[in-house]
Amino acid sequence: MKTVAGINEKIKAGKAVVVTAEEMVDIVRSKGAEKAAEKVDVVTTGTFSAMCSSGAFLNFGHSDPPIRMTNILINDVQAYGGLAAVDTYIGAAQLTDKPDGGYGGGHVIEDLVAGKSVALRAWGPGTDCYVRRSIDTRFTLDDINEAYLYNPRNCYQNYSVATNGSDRTLHTYMGKLLPRMRNATFSSAGQLSPLLNDPHLATIGVGTRIFLGGGVGYVAWNGTQFSTAAAERNGVPVSGARTLALIGDLKGMSRDFLRGLDFHRYGTSLAVGVGIPIPVLDAGVAARAGISDGEIYANMTDYSLTERDKPTLAQYSYEELRSGSVEYDGHTIRTSSMSSYKKARDVANTLKGWIEAKEFLLSEPVQPLPAENRLGTLEVR
Amino acid sequence: MDVKYRLRFNEGNVHESVAYILVTKFDVVPNILKADVKEDGGVMILSMGGDSDNIVRAIEHLKGLGISIKTLDKYIDMDPELCIDCGACVSVCPTKSFKFNPETWEIELAMETCVACGACLTACPTHALEIQL
């Protein structure tokens, strides 16, 4: 059995064999998992999709005289004012205060990594130690002390396919859903997706070094709504299951892999590029990382139903979903992806390039993520 | 695929029955794809099928009525700087004009089948699509 330390030695020597999860499909198919595990050292994964539970911690530095900011607007998007004087958190889903809408926290983050100057307006109570009561200025990412992305829930292991059984068009975070099930949308990189290639997190845990938004990041914790209870097919969950909380330095990231999104009549989000390297320690890891779109399934549900638990209408493989249409109850439903497979490939290939160039070493988790966790619900009492 | 035209009407010619004129006077088959015409003017997108000489004569006639006519070869502008190739536009397009390139997984837009309906505009989360009318 290989070790992470041993693989790192091979990376440093420029001898590691690194393939993307897409390339791994054919390798496992043609050589078998045992041989694949001997040949391949690292499988790189990738995803690029809306991840609404994302945001950034910022520290502006102190003005003269200083202010304790309690109300903060960045490009007219509200940031959290409940931290110490000039610390804040800007969430991707926070909408602009401007009536036109279409812009939010995700766009502020994109503008910052693109090097743009953004407007900062803030107010405070004025205290003996922080006498200033308001400030109106501009800043860039380079101007501020710290800026790090901290995303409480990214990389959903799998996700529902959304359709609309009602008579009117729905505008949702899963995109535009046409009436009478004329279309369905899905959001996963499938065979390239990080957590579908290591479904029980044998190699991924707290402290795992990853590709995040074009820079280097780490797995900080399990993501919120982390669940191990989802039904599985071919060893992978068929609905939302495990998630990751991720952290990384925004100053090292790029607009290529962080994009503000605006879903019509829903709100804003941030498309995040995430890639996780999987050390191929044994044949089991190799077999799981060799899974293909034809073997990964997702449940379709009707988004016009307003209750929390929506019944499953059908189950489709990502191969079927990517074909452009699926059959349901005797008629054809056209399918659209909401996550970019092209960008997911770019993530996996970029990470592969970093490892091959000896610029990125693998890390062992410092703590495993929960082996068992069920989702709770909010009861109205 | 028939060529598409944008007709712009004003207060003075908004009452003209374009489809009737095309069929009865020029033996041209019009297909109205989109119309936003009110009492003080507006815009209509239509394609014309039939003999090309007849279409040329029909266009001259309509111009004589003061209707401004522009041949449309591009209706939707896709900004490659903004597009992330997610695919949100693909299944909402009634003419299946957006497709993934099966090799690169980039989105490709076929202008010849696009009818400028605008269904894709509100589907795009990066505002990468703009209608050119």
Side-chain angles (χ1 to χ4, degrees):
Chain A
M1 183 172 149
K2 288 190 258 185
T3 63
V4 171
I7 291 171
N8 277 340
E9 288 309 313
K10 287 176 88 172
I11 293 172
K12 285 184 215 163
K15 289 181 178 160
V17 177
V18 189
V19 303
T20 69
E22 197 178 13
E23 293 161 342
M24 190 66 170
V25 173
D26 285 338
I27 294 171
V28 170
R29 250 184 218 155
S30 62
K31 296 185 186 304
E34 292 284 345
K35 283 257 163 55
E38 283 168 28
K39 181 179 169 332
V40 178
D41 297 304
V42 185
V43 172
T44 61
T45 61
T47 182
F48 185 85
S49 191
M51 303 194 195
C52 299
S53 216
S54 296
F57 282 103
L58 310 175
N59 176 285
F60 300 115
H62 283 291
S63 57
D64 187 20
I67 175 173
R68 178 163 83 82
M69 299 177 181
T70 52
N71 289 296
I72 304 166
L73 290 176
I74 306 174
N75 276 357
D76 292 304
V77 178
Q78 201 153 67
Y80 185 61
L83 294 169
V86 290
D87 281 333
T88 193
Y89 183 81
I90 180 148
Q94 186 75 47
L95 260 177
T96 176
D97 283 0
K98 291 243 170 106
D100 292 351
Y103 186 90
H107 298 91
V108 171
I109 293 168
E110 176 185 335
D111 282 345
L112 284 172
V113 293
K116 289 186 187 166
S117 160
V118 296
L120 169 65
R121 288 190 294 149
W123 297 264
T127 66
D128 290 346
C129 42
Y130 294 105
V131 295
R132 186 191 284 273
R133 297 175 70 140
S134 70
I135 192 164
D136 188 340
T137 183
R138 301 190 69 84
F139 72 93
T140 67
L141 191 59
D142 286 340
D143 295 333
I144 59 176
N145 287 325
E146 283 87 15
Y148 57 92
L149 207 62
Y150 180 83
N151 304 340
R153 184 172 64 255
N154 279 180
C155 281
Y156 236 124
Q157 192 164 27
N158 204 343
Y159 215 83
S160 300
V161 181
T163 191
N164 170 16
S166 78
D167 287 334
R168 67 178 183 95
T169 297
L170 300 179
H171 297 278
T172 73
Y173 64 85
M174 288 296 284
K176 189 169 175 177
L177 299 174
L178 303 175
R180 294 176 290 283
M181 295 192 189
R182 272 165 40 214
N183 73 336
T185 60
F186 62 99
S187 189
S188 173
Q191 62 193 8
L192 265 175
S193 181
L195 300 193
L196 292 173
N197 281 282
D198 182 8
H200 297 122
L201 310 183
T203 68
I204 301 166
V206 176
T208 297
R209 187 179 293 123
I210 61 166
F211 172 110
L212 179 60
V216 173
Y218 294 87
V219 174
W221 205 246
N222 60 272
T224 52
Q225 289 173 210
F226 183 99
S227 166
T228 57
E232 294 189 351
R233 189 162 170 185
N234 296 326
V236 294
V238 293
S239 59
R242 292 164 186 82
T243 63
L244 298 175
L246 304 178
I247 190 166
D249 189 355
L250 198 62
K251 294 194 181 196
M253 296 185 193
S254 136
R255 182 183 171 269
D256 290 343
F257 299 104
L258 283 179
R259 288 293 183 85
L261 302 176
D262 171 37
F263 292 100
H264 186 67
R265 289 197 204 157
Y266 169 75
T268 62
S269 186
L270 183 69
V272 185
V274 183
I276 301 186
I278 297 173
V280 185
L281 302 175
D282 56 36
V285 173
R288 291 188 290 271
I291 198 161
S292 68
D293 275 345
E295 300 162 293
I296 307 170
Y297 288 80
N299 290 338
M300 183 170 79
T301 58
D302 182 353
Y303 270 51
S304 70
L305 304 176
T306 54
E307 60 259 36
R308 180 182 60 209
D309 302 315
K310 301 173 174 59
T312 297
L313 302 174
Q315 202 173 74
Y316 301 104
S317 74
Y318 282 100
E319 190 175 25
E320 293 172 285
L321 292 164
R322 275 191 213 293
S323 74
S325 65
V326 294
E327 296 298 314
Y328 176 73
D329 203 18
H331 70 271
T332 302
I333 303 179
R334 292 174 62 201
T335 53
S336 262
S337 165
M338 296 302 294
S339 97
S340 173
Y341 195 76
K342 191 227 168 213
K343 285 273 195 185
R345 247 189 203 168
D346 290 348
V347 170
N349 279 318
T350 305
L351 180 55
K352 177 181 163 177
W354 288 353
I355 298 170
E356 285 174 340
K358 309 178 206 176
E359 291 166 1
F360 186 104
L361 292 177
L362 309 191
S363 64
E364 289 203 57
V366 293
Q367 179 177 306
L369 295 172
E372 210 176 310
N373 203 42
R374 281 179 184 277
L375 265 191
T377 54
L378 178 63
E379 301 309 322
V380 180
R381 298 192 169 95
Chain B
M1 189 58 74
D2 296 337
V3 180
K4 299 179 192 100
Y5 302 88
R6 183 200 65 199
L7 279 58
R8 200 179 284 281
F9 298 85
N10 58 37
E11 231 167 8
N13 54 36
V14 72
H15 60 279
E16 297 288 351
S17 178
V18 169
Y20 180 78
I21 293 169
L22 291 174
V23 174
T24 58
K25 288 196 172 167
F26 299 97
D27 197 23
V28 164
V29 182
N31 184 13
I32 298 172
L33 304 168
K34 194 181 175 92
D36 182 15
V37 185
K38 298 193 176 75
E39 63 278 8
D40 56 347
V43 172
M44 178 188 286
I45 311 285
L46 55 75
S47 67
M48 291 191 233
D51 180 79
S52 56
D53 287 346
N54 286 350
I55 292 174
V56 170
R57 289 195 302 118
I59 289 171
E60 285 312 308
H61 178 81
L62 295 178
K63 281 180 178 170
L65 298 172
I67 298 168
S68 92
I69 301 183
K70 188 186 167 202
T71 308
L72 286 180
D73 46 17
K74 192 178 184 190
Y75 329 104
I76 299 285
D77 244 349
M78 201 163 125
D79 186 340
E81 269 293 294
L82 294 176
C83 176
I84 55 171
D85 297 290
C86 66
C89 49
V90 173
S91 70
V92 299
C93 174
T95 59
K96 300 185 181 175
S97 296
F98 291 97
K99 280 198 174 70
F100 276 112
N101 177 311
E103 295 297 314
T104 64
W105 288 98
E106 285 172 323
I107 298 281
E108 291 170 354
L109 170 55
M111 287 300 171
E112 59 276 17
T113 52
C114 171
V115 293
C117 69
C120 54
L121 301 182
T122 51
C124 177
T126 60
H127 303 170
L129 302 171
E130 228 174 87
I131 198 157
Q132 303 292 333
L133 291 181

